[in-house]
Amino acid sequence: MKINEYQKLAMSTLNKELDKKDILIYSAMGLCGESGEVIDIVKKWLAQGHELDKDHLAKELGNYIKMLEHS
């Protein structure tokens, strides 16, 4: 999938009723939440001795990118 295709797909999930201010707030909260998910996976790997869950990490990074597209 090309980046433009992904951007269109990501934007299709955005609530059309939100105004620009609400989109910014939603995006900021979403980016914070998704970055927390990413760092938690890395923390478990680095500090707690877990295997790095690359599939979960890729999923959460994808979610982060989707939130970035919304902003």
Side-chain angles (χ1 to χ4, degrees):
M1 179 179 291
K2 295 184 181 189
I3 191 69
N4 290 347
E5 295 169 332
Y6 182 81
Q7 185 177 25
K8 287 179 185 176
L9 180 62
M11 292 306 291
S12 72
T13 67
L14 185 61
N15 182 343
K16 307 291 189 237
E17 295 181 17
L18 298 178
D19 62 22
K20 287 184 179 187
K21 176 184 163 193
D22 290 337
I23 291 171
L24 179 60
I25 293 168
Y26 169 77
S27 298
M29 290 188 298
L31 287 168
C32 289
E34 295 303 336
S35 63
E37 294 279 348
V38 168
I39 200 62
D40 194 52
I41 294 166
V42 174
K43 175 196 72 176
K44 288 177 181 176
W45 172 62
L46 283 176
Q48 297 176 351
H50 294 256
E51 291 292 320
L52 181 60
D53 188 343
K54 293 179 182 178
D55 290 334
H56 190 192
L57 182 60
K59 176 185 175 280
E60 296 304 336
L61 287 170
N63 290 343
Y64 184 89
I65 291 169
K66 183 173 95 172
M67 293 308 304
L68 191 59
E69 291 292 335
H70 287 169
S71 61

